[in-house]
């Protein structure tokens, strides 16, 4: 049918010019004389199905709402079918095609099956359909479709989504109306590029096997991550780095604790932001949320350790350092080794003046351990552990997300 | 009736093929010749009720809005009834069934009784109904229903909700129209799984005993808690742990107070978040809110104690420690016992140099108590009390919520 | 009329069964033969008024929006009146009542007078009215009404509101249509309890004295305060306590100032929350806001005092304490008295070693005052003043609110 | 016309009672017999204009949306005009007036010219118009009008606004329909007082000189400032005071900097709140925003000065004080003068013990300047400068706003 | 055609007054006698196109929604075309023009092609069209258009936007209806100035070459930056200055770290604000966001450096300063040079008393480096680097934005 139309478009003055009176005569002939009944499916044999050719011309993706799981698209459908009662002899009437109001003819009850709203009639009272002499009708309803689209945010913001836009003949069974198409995918000629979603591919699937014919248009969408990388991922990675800095701040600077709490609350704020931007989905969790939860957990551990460090730091210096902490200091600073080698070096420039005291101490306990050193040792060890965990978790998440 | 329809679907060419003219004749016969009046209930005996068979095919739960207490569902109803004036002799007309515009026939005023909006007519002008030769009409209006659903958030986020979707015949009494159904629950064949709510069971209840027939579809919903556990419960438990850390931070670190206030404000922020996500319901309070209130109360107590600790800490050291605090220090650190045993040990390595002074002091007051020790003792005691209260309250709430 | 309907409901088969043909004859008789004109008020004497019986069946309060001052209710009206042109002899037609589409008959232009939207026609094209043989028509339009309701938030959250739902005959004067009712208040048989508002009483007032009849339904609502007490009042009281703690924190702890600012900002946040939840009403201020403003004012004073304390605290110790502060210290700690009594006691255990110096000082200035003591004295005095003001203001506000 | 109506209202039974049949006869006479054509302007001479009397009865101001610059009002219009084809001889028909459905007669296309939405037809299909025997028609459409209103927020929250509600005859030129009114302003009889806006005056302007007649209703509104003074202005003034306190806090208290940042961020938060409540208007800036910007600028300066103070404070004491700072200290504390007078006094009680040292110093540099003193001097000077600037700017802004 | 209309407006009483009966006769003649068919394109030769003259009268820009990329404009179209079947001999009928309801005549299906919503029919049932004796019809539908407009926020808030409003003949091919215009741009006579957007120029483009005629109105908009400069750019620049202050605060003031975190979080808050005000656009990033990201990066570096400084500062003073830091101190303070010159000067006034010690030290290590000096040196160097980077980046961004 499309070929016929385009043929007519290209060669409109097929026959000689025709007048308005001739059109009036023709419409009178096909509607009044033939007693056209627009409620009756236009097939002379009522058990042979009418074939409805459909094509979906996507104009733009208005919105993909992750929260409501709704895809809003602007598109126009091209529907064409053969009305066996609206034919005429073009040699007699010298007219190839007519432009008629849509309400004059039978129309299929073709509806959006997976919509958010009640079925709406396509087109409107001011639409026209184009009717060719062989009864082929062409109708181009322009609509804004709100279709349901199940969103999988696991890989957010590097996610791909598959959205279906499904149409069906609601009241006509397959033995009454079948669907077909001259193209094999969504028509994208007039498509206006979306700034967040890239259409990687589209497909069309027509199913005439069920009780009602169904045509499914599938849009495979890939999110362009730039925006979210700049405004969500980068700040989160940045906050993760702040977590590590905790162990650079010395415990006696009097700022460690408040630093920790501020960073921890910053993380919780970000968790709230992410959870408000994504759907409340208990079936799958975005890896980004999981990453944040790991960071929050690490922040919590850092808080506990910092509090303990403060407590140790303010222990009276008379209290001896417990053995596990001694081992930790040894591990962190190779204290034992240094004590033998470099402490000697350090001792020399002090001009032997406090030699006796030092000797005396070395006698009692060859290496002294202060709580200050313990605190520094904890900082040292935790710093490298946190750098390690941060790198591993970040690389892992990024690898998962990008694939 | 459904059986008749499916029978027709399966064997459409029951008789030989029938033509459009035959259909025209038939419609002319049943509408014009018989003077069909679509405003009249189609029962020849007007005092015997018309039986309306209903079934509710749930397609998806769009939203369960806790704040507005609104359940939005997409579904289609299958309504079928016998129109005694739309029958024909199928041997004579050779046609089994007709597809007619819905506005040609009488339709029951079947409406959503517990809706949020005014009654809306089902279907639409472009819908078709299927009419069988024995007068059985089948109508499948696809709608989005907004029904009221009383939400009980006591066990949030481990709550179960029971939502009713209630339909009634608004203007027809039971002696005019009765309801019946071939199934006993909500039809879920085409149901699309919701990501937050799991349908545990459904039921259907038809009541023809009142003045108007009522059919009630009940959905028993269970919230999938994953999302809220990750984004709400976990941060709250985390904040609860922060409350305990207060008593690890020593009073002289200069960070205790600001730490306390930050945590307390964090709690208040979360209380605000929760109260904005849940309906303003004064009849029942979520256990989660109660838990938060307990935590805030504990945070408040911690604040007061910390302030008092600071005040004690900065008391001039000349001021004597009051007796109750002495007892507290004894209880916390077994000071008396230590004084006798380990103080001796501590004294020895100091090379007897300050022995006299110590002896002298021991004479006056055998065990000295510093304000510093008092502060530590309070920290020690409160730390364990808080851990105890935290564990008890958390376990209690979790046990209540999960059951 | 309601009695007639219920009578009919209870004894539907009053006469023998009647057939659809009889109904057709009857409708033909009353509409066609009698040339029924639905645009004409159905009174044979056009200067005697038609009496419209109304009753308002409240089903639920959907929302009372304080910000927009809007009451949204779901209800159905029961309207009944006598149509003098729709009567028949029931002995002749053997029919007691008919169910007719609402658009077949004259209907009063009964509209919601104090609505938020334009007048909407009641009911809908698919509604039916019930017509009895004596011409009594019964119509039950189910609507969602959005009526204006002036909200007085002075006593929030212990407030009571009085909302009117006002209906009128818009184009018919009282000499054309009058209103009456068989009940004296709102019908609450099917009322579903609201979780925030309790209906304390309802009343109905019919005024036929003006140019147009008006019926006013009044709902007296009392807010259930539980939710707001838990989520708004308690946190505010809690913040008020934080204000008092300012004066427990010693000035040399280095946390007093930041504590103050945090609490003050917390108050401002709460002021913002409250002002966003309540309508921008310059005619009356909620007592809760006033209470908050008092607290903020007290927080501001505390800030200024704390800053001054810090400044005093860091004054060089050589600078003498000014006389007003000396008096303050005397007042707070009974310094003078202590100096004579306990300073002696304190002096003794120090083994007379620094006796001379002390004597010398006592000679120059019998009692020394340090800036530290001044700071403590200010804390002491302000602490009790704040506790006093807090208790008084809280008790006052609570007493006002609860009455 | 209004007089005629009121006359009719007051004396309805002008003639004897008239019956429904008489009304039927009359309507038949004026519509059928006279072949009334409701699409034709009801003037026998088509070049003499129809005069449309309008009056605007304001019922309430629902909302004045500053952000969208939209005024929402509920009002009803009273429109009356003479339909020369709907007249009758009242002696013959014994009827004074008729109540007719609005769709039976010609109506002017009177529309809201400065609306936010497309033109909507006034009234509705269920409205009635009142027709008097001389052809005078009276129509009272009740509407919610959304009109554009240019908001000038310069003096917010003490602003006055002038809103126009403009109606026009869209398709009828002045030589077809002219406008007139019996009143000279907006009718306020049923006006319900608004809680934010006070109507200071109203006016009406009818312009029949253009191609289409235009009637403009002007509302002069004055904001009741109470709410915004309490919730916006007061907190901002309060924050301004916090700015001044910066210079009371001594630099060595360790809280000056964090105090500054907190206050500065508080200001930015308020700037964000105000800019979100007011329209994005680049043509004029509210004085309140300007005031806030001044405060933020002062906060920024305070921050810089505080940071510099901290840096100076932590300079090694050996480093000499630079000359400009010396001058500052002299200016602030009259150091030179004191040095000569009071330093002597201070020296005496120290029992001459450190006399030599002091003499020696006095020799080298008669007056010593410490960095501590410099810091205090800066605080002193800036404190008074800030108080001065704060008072001047606050008084200036308040004076401007209140006028 | 417009000229004809204005001609008619100016000289309405062209002929003598005409009566309603004459109008009735004329309408009867052109509609009934001529059997006007409003579904037929009014051209006697159906293959010669009807020329539709369009003009777009912009009244106001209601909103340019950056997030949804939607331009909302209020405008009225003036459409005029020649209906060859609605002509009469004005000498015979003595009437120049008629005012007719819009539904009586054929209207082109002229629709907004790049709209957000489904096609809406222009005008409404209560609109009138003006018909001249030669068949020229004039129709002025007033609409609110929601058109898609691709927003480029790269230069926000100094951006310019180009928005197209595109209309097309949806069902009529160019050989049926062509478009033309008497003006060459958008009509702005009644345009109400917008407070955010300035219209720099407009243009009109008519394309009759495709299969369907398209007219495109282009609005070139320039944002008035005042509002955003005051409320967004200035605070961001202010925050940038705060970043620099970090290096004025000495490391031992105990406030450096918390200052850094507060500023960093402030930046993240602003990033969130900006990203919520602008569309999620991954194709281009506003320079302002990039600038913010640079600032955040600098803040992050400042944080790391501050933490390291704290760690260095709290190193035991016995630990030697590493060589790179020595070089840094030399670079920052010309230490070596000073040591030789000014240290001598400093030494002299100390009365040679500690000469030996100094000599001794100079022997061992001619210049001593303390960790304190290292910290100061880092501050010094970083301060100037940050000032440099801040100035360069700010000037660069501002230069880019303003052009």
């Amino acid at each position: 049918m499309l070929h016929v139309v385009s043929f007519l478009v290209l060669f409109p003055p097929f026959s000689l010019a025709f007048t308005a009176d001739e059109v009036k005569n023709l419409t009178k002939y096909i509607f009044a004389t033939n007693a056209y009944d627009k409620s009756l499916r236009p097939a002379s044999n009522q058990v042979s199905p009418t074939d409805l050719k459909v094509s979906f011309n996507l104009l733009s993706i208005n919105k993909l709402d992750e929260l409501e799981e709704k895809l809003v698209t602007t598109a126009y459908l091209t529907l064409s079918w053969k009305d066996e009662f609206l034919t005429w002899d073009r040699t007699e009437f010298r007219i190839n095609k007519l432009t008629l109001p849509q309400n004059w003819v039978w129309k299929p009850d073709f509806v959006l099956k997976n919509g958010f709203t009640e079925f709406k009639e396509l087109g409107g009272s001011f639409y026209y359909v184009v009717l060719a002499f062989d009864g082929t009708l062409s109708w181009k309803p322009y609509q804004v479709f709100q279709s349901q689209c199940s969103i999988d945010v696991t890989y957010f913001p590097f996610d791909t989504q598959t959205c279906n836009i499904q149409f069906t003949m609601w009241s006509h069974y397959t033995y009454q109306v079948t669907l077909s198409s001259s193209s094999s995918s969504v028509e994208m000629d007039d498509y206006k590029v979306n700034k967040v979603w890239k259409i990687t591919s589209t497909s069309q699937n027509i199913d005439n096997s069920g009780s009602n014919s169904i045509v499914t248009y599938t849009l495979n969408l890939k999110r362009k991550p730039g925006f979210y990388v700049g405004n969500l991922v980068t700040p989160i990675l940045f906050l993760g780095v702040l977590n590590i800095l905790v162990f650079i701040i010395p415990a006696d600077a009097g700022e460690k604790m408040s630093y920790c709490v501020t960073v921890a609350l910053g993380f919780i704020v970000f968790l709230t932001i992410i959870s408000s931007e994504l759907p409340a989905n208990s079936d799958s969790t975005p890896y980004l949320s999981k990453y944040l939860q790991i960071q929050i957990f690490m922040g919590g551990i850092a808080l506990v350790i910092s509090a303990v460090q403060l407590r140790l730091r303010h222990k009276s210096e008379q209290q001896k350092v417990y053995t596990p902490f001694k081992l930790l200091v040894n591990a962190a600073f190779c204290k034992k080794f240094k004590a033998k080698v470099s402490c000697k070096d350090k001792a020399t420039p002090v001009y032997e003046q406090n030699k006796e005291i030092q000797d005396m101490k070395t006698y009692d306990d060859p290496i002294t351990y202060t709580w200050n050193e313990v605190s520094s040792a904890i900082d040292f060890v935790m710093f490298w552990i946190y750098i390690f965990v941060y790198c591993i978790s970040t690389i892992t998440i990024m690898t998962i997300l990008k694939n």
Side-chain angles (χ1 to χ4, degrees), chain A:
Chain A
M1 215 280 332
L2 278 168
H3 293 282
V4 175
V5 169
S6 56
F7 168 83
L8 290 168
V9 172
L10 294 170
F11 310 100
F14 160 84
S15 59
L16 296 167
F18 53 96
T19 63
D21 284 337
E22 286 174 311
V23 173
K24 273 188 187 172
N25 282 338
L26 178 53
T27 51
K28 195 178 168 190
Y29 166 72
I30 55 179
F31 287 99
T33 314
N34 288 353
Y36 184 76
D37 177 1
K38 73 173 182 167
S39 70
L40 182 64
R41 183 165 63 85
S44 34
N45 182 356
Q46 287 279 312
V47 292
S48 78
T50 299
D51 185 51
L52 179 65
K53 279 198 184 68
V54 295
S55 100
F56 185 80
N57 295 59
L58 186 66
L59 296 175
S60 68
I61 294 174
N62 297 5
K63 197 186 196 177
L64 179 56
D65 190 325
E66 288 97 348
L67 276 181
E68 292 196 53
E69 306 206 303
K70 183 165 78 175
L71 175 71
V72 185
T73 47
T74 304
Y76 67 91
L77 293 166
T78 309
L79 300 174
S80 80
W81 67 94
K82 200 155 195 166
D83 190 318
E84 296 181 13
F85 306 139
L86 295 177
T87 57
W88 66 89
D89 183 350
R90 64 173 156 165
T91 54
E92 186 186 338
F93 288 96
R94 297 172 54 241
I95 293 173
N96 267 324
K97 63 174 184 145
L98 288 174
T99 304
L100 301 170
Q102 81 165 32
N103 287 341
W104 287 23
V105 300
W106 178 90
K107 293 180 307 295
D109 56 344
F110 191 72
V111 290
L112 178 65
K113 206 189 172 200
N114 63 341
F116 251 75
T117 56
E118 285 155 38
F119 291 161
K120 271 187 287 189
E121 192 170 10
L122 298 178
S125 62
F126 64 98
Y127 271 76
Y128 290 87
V129 291
V130 176
L131 171 64
F133 68 93
D134 64 345
T136 312
L137 274 158
S138 171
W139 186 31
K140 292 200 298 180
Y142 174 105
Q143 306 287 139
V144 173
F145 295 107
Q146 300 193 0
S147 53
Q148 295 184 331
C149 178
S150 184
I151 304 283
D152 177 9
V153 292
T154 314
Y155 296 96
F156 177 84
F158 298 95
D159 47 340
T160 56
Q161 304 294 344
T162 301
C163 287
N164 290 327
I165 303 171
Q166 214 167 37
F167 295 95
T168 190
M169 294 299 306
W170 188 246
S171 318
H172 288 90
Y173 297 103
T174 34
Y175 71 90
Q176 291 176 313
V177 178
T178 56
L179 298 173
S180 70
S181 179
S182 56
S183 71
S184 65
S185 64
V186 173
E187 303 279 337
M188 307 267 292
D189 298 341
D190 301 324
Y191 179 66
K192 194 188 129 243
V193 171
N194 185 280
K195 282 172 175 170
V196 180
W197 294 97
K198 194 172 165 271
I199 299 183
T200 51
S201 66
T202 65
S203 65
Q204 182 194 44
N205 179 32
I206 295 175
D207 176 15
N208 286 321
S209 65
S211 65
N212 296 63
S213 295
I214 293 170
V215 56
T216 309
Y217 294 99
T218 305
L219 302 179
N220 294 302
L221 302 167
K222 175 146 190 55
R223 192 191 296 268
K224 301 178 186 172
F227 179 78
Y228 294 98
V229 166
N231 293 291
L232 211 59
V233 178
T234 312
I236 287 170
L237 293 184
F238 178 71
L239 272 177
V241 172
L242 294 193
N243 245 351
I244 299 172
L245 288 185
V246 171
F247 297 108
I248 294 189
I249 305 171
D252 37 355
E255 303 202 73
K256 195 162 196 158
M257 210 63 206
S258 65
Y259 177 83
C260 279
V261 183
T262 313
V263 174
L265 290 185
F267 268 119
I268 291 182
V269 166
F270 257 83
L271 191 65
T272 312
I273 289 176
I274 286 192
S275 70
S276 73
E277 285 209 353
L278 297 180
N281 180 342
S282 293
D283 292 343
S284 68
T285 314
Y287 278 108
L288 206 62
S289 292
K290 285 182 189 165
Y291 178 74
L292 255 182
Q293 283 161 1
I294 292 171
Q295 295 293 337
I296 290 173
F297 181 74
M298 282 171 69
I301 299 288
L303 252 176
V304 174
I305 291 174
S306 300
V308 170
Q309 274 181 304
L310 274 186
R311 170 62 64 181
L312 294 180
R313 202 60 205 78
H314 287 84
K315 261 194 175 346
S316 123
E317 283 295 327
Q318 290 172 320
Q319 223 171 332
K320 271 193 194 164
V321 174
Y322 313 131
T323 316
F325 289 129
K326 287 184 184 169
L327 297 175
L328 185 74
V329 176
N330 289 342
F333 300 136
C334 323
K335 178 102 186 183
K336 225 160 200 162
F337 176 73
K338 279 183 182 172
K340 278 173 187 159
V341 182
S342 58
C343 280
K344 283 287 175 203
D345 300 352
K346 253 196 270 173
T348 43
V350 210
Y351 292 101
E352 324 294 319
Q353 64 195 31
N354 49 4
K355 203 179 176 181
E356 291 89 346
I357 300 157
Q358 196 151 8
D359 283 353
M360 199 168 61
K361 271 188 185 162
T362 331
Y363 169 84
D364 189 52
D365 180 7
I367 311 148
T368 41
Y369 295 88
T370 62
W371 284 111
N372 206 1
E373 280 173 330
V374 170
S375 178
S376 294
I378 294 173
D379 277 345
F380 183 84
V381 172
M382 291 312 298
F383 178 71
W384 290 108
I385 291 177
Y386 265 58
I387 283 202
F388 181 75
V389 174
Y390 178 74
C391 292
I392 292 293
S393 63
T394 306
I395 291 165
T396 311
I397 294 287
M398 286 302 136
T399 312
I400 291 171
L401 285 183
K402 287 233 167 159
N403 292 350

